[in-house]
Amino acid sequence: IVLFADKKNFIPTGDTTFSEGKSAAEIELIQDALKHANGSVKNAAKSLKLGYGAFRYKLDKYKINPHQFIKTS
């Protein structure tokens, strides 16, 4: 699995700190995983090889609502 094959580089520029760059990368990975999993927290966590609890923690930390990634027909 290649995670960053089609992603922009997360190299800090200007006033961006390492922590901010890391957070931005995590948020993008989480959102992409949720998109591919159609909003399923369990499947998104599994695709990132994270435990369910750790993934839920990151959703809360970054205030990401998995329901917004559910595709409607």
Side-chain angles (χ1 to χ4, degrees):
I1 298 173
V2 179
L3 293 176
F4 295 108
D6 61 348
K7 297 293 170 201
K8 62 185 176 190
N9 293 321
F10 291 104
I11 298 170
T13 57
D15 294 330
T16 303
T17 66
F18 176 80
S19 180
E20 291 168 339
K22 181 180 171 220
S23 294
E26 281 189 330
I27 289 167
E28 187 160 352
L29 284 170
I30 290 166
Q31 290 175 336
D32 285 350
L34 285 165
K35 286 175 193 170
H36 290 295
N38 194 30
S40 168
V41 174
K42 178 182 172 185
N43 292 338
K46 189 175 182 178
S47 74
L48 294 175
K49 307 233 186 304
L50 283 175
Y52 182 82
F55 193 78
R56 289 293 319 179
Y57 170 80
K58 291 185 182 294
L59 291 177
D60 292 341
K61 177 181 177 181
Y62 297 121
K63 296 177 178 33
I64 298 171
N65 178 359
H67 295 104
Q68 73 187 42
F69 297 95
I70 297 172
K71 298 171 194 153
T72 56
S73 300

